[in-house]
Amino acid sequence: MSRAIDLVLADVDGTLVTGEKVLTEAAKRAVHDLHAAGIKFAITSGRPPRGMAMVSQPLAIDTPIAGFNGGVLMAPDMETVLNSYDLPGDVIQTALDLLGEHGLDAWVYTKKRWLIHDVSAPHVAREAKTVQFEAEVVARFSADDLNSVVKIVGVTDDKSRMQAALQAATKEFGDRVTAACSQPYYLDITNAKANKGAVVDELSQRLDIPRDRIATIGDMPNDVTMFKRSGMSIAMGNADDEVKSSAKFTTDSNENEGFAKAIRKFILDGATS
């Protein structure tokens, strides 16, 4: 029998790493075993590309790396930009105003910069530790700062504010942007073409692998778009019920080696045709 999957595309936070952002030995072995079986492995995340090096380097990833939910596609060298989708210029200030009106902190990302207003604001320190580089603190976002913006993030731990902001962004921009939560406390606003479903399409084309031979695995609502575009979809055990219902399979949580277990059960042992 021949294998049914030629590429596995994984989300990072909540999927490939633990809640403490640890890449476990079991996860490393799972990726090694994929490579040994001739199956390619790729990652996509809401993180900036440079914030994915802590995963891509130890896993020796040799496929394009999709940061900002597909907003920027980098070569494995983490230097060469293969493709990028900036936010439309007329959306940027409106999005910032909208986040402020709903009481969310706003972060601005360009291809290489992370801009914030307050270093002591919620999740800044944790994010800096996660991506392993520091944000630039500015009193206000200047015109130069807002040139070539790839992603804007609204940050809050207040669930009601988050949902209100998400609904407002969806109503305000419609299909002009992709607005989705990459974490319960992060609202990512990117170009409409920057979504994980588009990452599946891009990798399918660049690697010459049919979409029905691509498996995707993730835990958040922004992962559902890649579930819909791939031949096999796997939700993490820590995902909410709506995300799980959108996937073909469900694995254990990211705190209990759900990624490694899924690779073994659904890809290496079970995915043959």
Side-chain angles (χ1 to χ4, degrees), residues 102-105 122-123 154-159 161-162 184-186:
H102 286 83
L104 278 66
D105 293 320
H123 298 288
V155 185
T156 183
D157 287 314
D158 187 311
K159 293 182 179 179
R161 286 185 178 182
M162 178 60 76
Y185 39 83
Y186 290 160

Side-chain angles (χ1 to χ4, degrees), residues 12-272:
V12 176
D13 298 291
T15 300
L16 186 58
V17 299
T18 68
E20 293 303 313
K21 313 303 181 183
V22 174
L23 182 65
T24 68
E25 290 303 316
K28 293 177 186 178
R29 285 196 302 272
V31 173
H32 176 272
D33 290 345
L34 285 174
H35 288 154
I39 300 171
K40 293 183 178 296
F41 181 72
I43 54 175
T44 182
S45 173
R47 295 187 188 198
R50 64 190 289 198
M52 298 165 75
M54 56 83 71
V55 173
S56 65
Q57 291 176 356
L59 294 179
I61 289 178
D62 59 0
T63 53
I65 295 165
F68 297 131
N69 301 320
V72 175
L73 192 71
M74 301 289 289
D77 63 11
M78 299 298 285
E79 294 291 336
T80 307
V81 177
L82 301 175
N83 191 34
S84 67
Y85 297 112
D86 293 351
L87 274 169
D90 61 330
V91 164
I92 295 169
Q93 190 59 57
T94 303
L96 292 172
D97 292 343
L98 184 151
L99 295 177
E101 290 167 4
H102 286 83
L104 278 66
D105 293 320
W107 298 351
V108 168
Y109 288 93
T110 66
K111 294 178 184 64
K112 296 186 177 180
R113 303 173 72 197
W114 169 26
L115 305 171
I116 62 172
H117 290 316
D118 182 4
V119 72
S120 63
H123 298 288
V124 170
R126 180 178 177 82
E127 185 70 8
K129 181 179 179 181
T130 296
V131 301
Q132 299 185 0
F133 69 91
E134 299 295 325
E136 297 177 44
V137 181
V138 296
R140 65 180 184 83
F141 300 125
S142 69
D144 286 343
D145 294 335
L146 300 182
N147 183 37
S148 298
V149 173
V150 182
K151 184 175 77 163
I152 293 173
V153 180
V155 185
T156 183
D157 287 314
D158 187 311
K159 293 182 179 179
S160 61
R161 286 185 178 182
M162 178 60 76
Q163 286 304 308
L166 174 58
Q167 291 172 10
T170 301
K171 181 179 179 180
E172 175 70 31
F173 302 117
D175 59 6
R176 296 192 65 210
V177 306
T178 296
C181 292
S182 61
Q183 295 292 329
Y185 39 83
Y186 290 160
L187 171 56
D188 294 353
I189 299 175
T190 56
N191 187 298
K193 296 180 179 179
N195 63 79
K196 293 183 178 180
V199 173
V200 173
D201 294 341
E202 184 83 9
L203 292 178
S204 174
Q205 181 178 16
R206 287 180 177 271
L207 301 177
D208 194 25
I209 297 173
R211 289 189 298 105
D212 63 3
R213 298 185 71 85
I214 297 175
T216 53
I217 179 168
D219 72 306
M220 289 296 294
N222 69 336
D223 295 315
V224 172
T225 55
M226 69 177 183
F227 289 174
K228 292 179 178 179
R229 301 295 294 167
S230 59
M232 177 187 293
S233 52
I234 307 166
M236 296 296 293
N238 44 291
D240 65 28
D241 289 342
E242 184 175 353
V243 173
K244 289 177 180 176
S245 68
S246 300
K248 183 175 181 180
F249 301 112
T250 299
T251 185
D252 213 329
S253 75
N254 66 323
E255 298 297 335
N256 198 30
E257 302 292 2
F259 170 79
K261 290 176 180 177
I263 297 303
R264 177 63 56 193
K265 181 177 181 180
F266 302 121
I267 310 297
L268 295 174
D269 292 344
T272 57

